[in-house]
C-alpha cells in the first residue's frame, strides 16, 4: 500500500490551505499514493493555542468541509484522511477525522477520544471527548485505525484498534515546541513522541503512520509567543522499524507499506496469544489506591 | 536512588554463578548502590532453551535460594531483586522475582504473568502463569514494579503497575538472537525491545530498569545451535530518555535515578488525567471479532 504523508505549515487562510493540500494530494496521486493523510486540523491555524469563542466559527462549515474533501478524494480516486473541526450541534464540537473513499463517500469518522489541555493546547475548551469509541474504519485500502494526536500517548487506544482488526494506525497530529524550551527538553519531547508511537507498532504488530504540522504559529492572544510545530512525520512498519521520517520542513512523504509484514511479526512474537485478559480488569480504573 | 544492573553471562555452575553475583553485588555496594538487580533466572543456564523434565531439578532448592539471596541482601544492606525458578509444589512451578529487603527479609515476590513459548524459549512447558497479578512491591528504596522479560511487551502490565503506584519498573530479562538470524533482523529485535520498554516510561512517567543476560548458551539437546543473549541492559528515566545502556559484554551498571522526575513529567504530560476509562472495557477481550 502506498501512503502519502502531507506535512504542511499553515498557509494563511482556509482557501490557501485547501489549494496547497489539493496540490500536494495531486502530486501524491501522480506518485501512486492510494491513501493520503493530512495533519491535524489542517484547514486552519491551530486555534487551540488560546481560548476564544470566535474560533468556534471555524466549525460552522463542517458539512461543506466534508463535501469538499469527499470531492477531492473522488476526483483523485484515493482514500483520504481529513482532520476537521466538527460542529455537531450548537455548543457541541469534536476534533474529528473523516475518512473518504475513492468514490467520495464517507467511509467513516473518528472523534478524538483523549483530549489534551495544557498551556497552548486548550483543547478541552473546544472539543467534547469522542463518543464513537475506538472503531477502525473499513476502506478499500484496508481497515484503518484512525486516532488523533493526544491519543498517541495512550497504549490502550492503539490496543483496542488492533483488537478490533485495524491493519494500520494513523495519527493526524499537531505537536510542537515553545520557543523558550531548552534544546535538551525539545529532543526529549520529540523522541518520546516517536518512541511511544513506534511502540504501538511493536506491541500490536501493525504499521503506524503519524502526520504532524510544521511551521511556527504565533499566539494572537499574546499570552504565549507561539508554537513551533516540529514536523518529523513518520512511518513505522509492523515490526516497529522507522521506514520514513520527515524533518522539520514542509514535505510530501510517499511510502510503501507492506501490510503483509504483520503476519510475519505476529508469528515471531505472538503477543496477542499471551495477553493476560483475566488480569487486566483494573485497566478501567482511574488509579488503584 | 542508586541502582546497580548486573549484566552477567552464565559462569558454568550455580556455585560459580553465585560467587560471581556476590562479587558484583559487593562491588555495586562499594559504589553506593542501594538497589541491585540481576538478570532473569541468573542461577543457572537458560534451561528453557529446550524441554527437559530433568530441568525441574533446578527448582528443588528454591527455599534455600531465597535464604541465600536474603542473606546476601542483609550482608550488603541493599534491596536486591533476584530472579528464581520457584517450585510451589510438585508439578507446579513459576518464573519468579523475589525482592529482599536490607534486613534480608522478603519484601515481596512477583510471578511472571506473561509466559512466552517459541523455539528456544519453551517457557510454557516450565512455568505456570503467575497468579499474584501486577502488584508493586513496597521496599525501603521505593515501590518497585517488578515484571519479568516477556511481560515487557505488554503495555497493560506496565500500566497496571503504574496505576497501583509503582515508582519504578524493573525487568529481569533473558533475550537474545539465534546465530542464523540476519543482522538487519537482529537490529530490529534489539531496538524493538528497547523501544517498547522506553515507551512504558513515557506512557506512565516512571523510570524503567531492564537487566538482560549476555553470552552464548548452547542448546544441549542439539535441536538449536544456541542463543546469543544480547545484553544491552538499560535505564530509561521518567521521561523515557535512556540514561544508561550497556553493550553486549558483561558489565556492572551503576546508575543514579531521580524518582522526583516523575512529578515533573507527569505534570507536563498528564496522561493519567485523560485516560478514557469509560471506553477501555474491551481491553479484557482476547480479540474483538
Amino acid at each position: 500500500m502506498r501512503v502519502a504523508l502531507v506535512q504542511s505549515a499553515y498557509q494563511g487562510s482556509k482557501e490557501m490551505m485547501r489549494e496547497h493540500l489539493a496540490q500536494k494530494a495531486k502530486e501524491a496521486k501522480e506518485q501512486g499514493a492510494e491513501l493520503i493523510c493530512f495533519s491535524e486540523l489542517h484547514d486552519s491555524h491551530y486555534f487551540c493555542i488560546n481560548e476564544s469563542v470566535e474560533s468556534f466559527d471555524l466549525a460552522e462549515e463542517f458539512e461543506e468541509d466534508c463535501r469538499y474533501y469527499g470531492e477531492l478524494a473522488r476526483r483523485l480516486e484515493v482514500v483520504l484522511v481529513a482532520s476537521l473541526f466538527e460542529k455537531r450541534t450548537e455548543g457541541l464540537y469534536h476534533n474529528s477525522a473523516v475518512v473518504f473513499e475513492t468514490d467520495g463517500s464517507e467511509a467513516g469518522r473518528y472523534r478524538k477520544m483523549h483530549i489534551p489541555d495544557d498551556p497552548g493546547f486548550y483543547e478541552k475548551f473546544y472539543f467534547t471527548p469522542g463518543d464513537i469509541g475506538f472503531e477502525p474504519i473499513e476502506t478499500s485500502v484496508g481497515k484503518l485505525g484512525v486516532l488523533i494526536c493526544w491519543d498517541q500517548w495512550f497504549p490502550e487506544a492503539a490496543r483496542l484498534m488492533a483488537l478490533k482488526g485495524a491493519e494500520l494506525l494513523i495519527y493526524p497530529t499537531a505537536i510542537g515546541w515553545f520557543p523558550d524550551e531548552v534544546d535538551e527538553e525539545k529532543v526529549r519531547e520529540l523522541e518520546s513522541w516517536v518512541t511511544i508511537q513506534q511502540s504501538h507498532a511493536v506491541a500490536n504488530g501493525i504499521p503506524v503512520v503519524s502526520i504532524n504540522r510544521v511551521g511556527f504559529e504565533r499566539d494572537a492572544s499574546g499570552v504565549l509567543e507561539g508554537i513551533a510545530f516540529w514536523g518529523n512525520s513518520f512511518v513505522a512498519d509492523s515490526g516497529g522499524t522507522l521506514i520514513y521520517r520527515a524533518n522539520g520542513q514542509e514535505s510530501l512523504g510517499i511510502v510503501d507499506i507492506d501490510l503483509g509484514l504483520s503476519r510475519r511479526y505476529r508469528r515471531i512474537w505472538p503477543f496477542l496469544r499471551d495477553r493476560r485478559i483475566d488480569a487486566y480488569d483494573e485497566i478501567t480504573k482511574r488509579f488503584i489506591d
Side-chain angles (χ1 to χ4, degrees), chain A:
Chain A
M1 181 209 287
R2 186 163 287 184
V3 183
L5 295 81
V6 184
Q7 177 173 292
S8 302
Y10 179 56
Q11 307 291 309
S13 72
K14 183 172 181 175
E15 291 63 41
M16 289 164 80
M17 207 57 229
R18 286 195 172 175
E19 196 177 313
H20 169 84
L21 293 175
Q23 176 59 33
K24 291 297 161 191
K26 184 165 164 284
E27 287 173 38
K29 172 66 182 184
E30 284 163 4
Q31 292 178 57
E34 304 159 77
L35 171 64
I36 297 178
C37 305
F38 298 146
S39 59
E40 189 180 12
L41 299 167
H42 46 74
D43 264 11
S44 67
H45 61 290
Y46 181 69
F47 53 89
C48 316
I49 198 168
N50 56 46
E51 298 193 3
S52 158
V53 289
E54 281 74 34
S55 293
F56 287 111
D57 288 345
L58 295 167
E60 283 298 321
E61 295 171 17
F62 173 67
E63 295 303 330
E64 195 278 320
D65 297 340
C66 287
R67 276 192 299 276
Y68 175 82
Y69 284 105
E71 174 58 21
L72 182 61
R74 192 199 60 73
R75 207 164 66 234
L76 297 176
E77 288 181 83
V78 294
V79 173
L80 193 151
V81 181
S83 171
L84 302 169
F85 188 11
E86 176 181 4
K87 177 179 176 182
R88 196 162 164 191
T89 188
E90 296 299 341
L92 186 60
Y93 302 84
H94 292 283
N95 185 334
S96 299
V98 187
V99 180
F100 299 98
E101 253 307 341
T102 54
D103 65 0
S105 63
E106 182 177 325
R109 121 177 16 176
Y110 169 77
R111 290 176 175 143
K112 190 171 182 175
M113 290 286 284
H114 300 94
I115 307 294
D117 198 289
D118 49 280
F121 296 84
Y122 301 100
E123 296 201 14
K124 288 192 197 297
F125 174 71
Y126 292 104
F127 311 122
T128 294
D131 57 352
I132 299 174
F134 304 99
E135 298 292 338
I137 296 169
E138 190 80 68
T139 74
S140 56
V141 296
K143 211 166 172 179
L144 310 181
V146 179
L147 294 159
I148 302 172
C149 200
W150 195 238
D151 291 320
Q152 59 212 178
W153 302 98
F154 300 84
E156 293 91 342
R159 180 68 96 200
L160 283 164
M161 284 293 191
L163 292 180
K164 291 184 183 183
E167 297 169 274
L168 175 67
L169 297 175
I170 301 173
Y171 293 94
T173 297
I175 192 167
W177 299 298
F178 300 118
D180 59 353
E181 290 184 276
V182 299
D183 284 350
E184 191 180 54
E185 179 62 11
K186 286 181 178 176
V187 169
R188 189 199 71 80
E189 292 176 1
L190 171 55
E191 294 310 318
S192 291
W193 176 77
V194 175
T195 297
I196 191 77
Q197 294 178 86
Q198 266 187 290
S199 82
H200 304 326
V202 173
N204 298 292
I206 51 176
V208 170
V209 174
S210 188
I211 318 95
N212 192 19
R213 285 180 173 243
V214 284
F216 184 75
E217 297 187 24
R218 198 160 295 283
D219 174 13
S221 78
V223 174
L224 299 168
E225 193 177 339
I227 302 171
F229 294 98
W230 67 48
N232 277 272
S233 300
F234 69 85
V235 178
D237 72 13
S238 305
T241 302
L242 290 188
I243 55 173
Y244 170 77
R245 183 167 172 175
N247 58 19
Q249 305 300 311
E250 288 197 322
S251 60
L252 173 63
I254 306 288
V255 185
D256 287 321
I257 297 180
D258 180 359
L259 294 182
L261 283 179
S262 293
R263 176 178 296 174
R264 176 172 161 200
Y265 290 122
R266 283 193 181 172
R267 283 183 179 187
I268 294 173
W269 282 340
F271 307 134
L272 294 188
R273 180 191 67 189
D274 291 337
R275 294 176 67 241
R276 289 296 303 271
I277 55 172
D278 60 310
Y280 294 161
D281 278 1
E282 293 185 303
I283 286 270
T284 58
K285 294 202 173 161
R286 182 62 67 205
F287 195 66
I288 305 164
D289 44 8

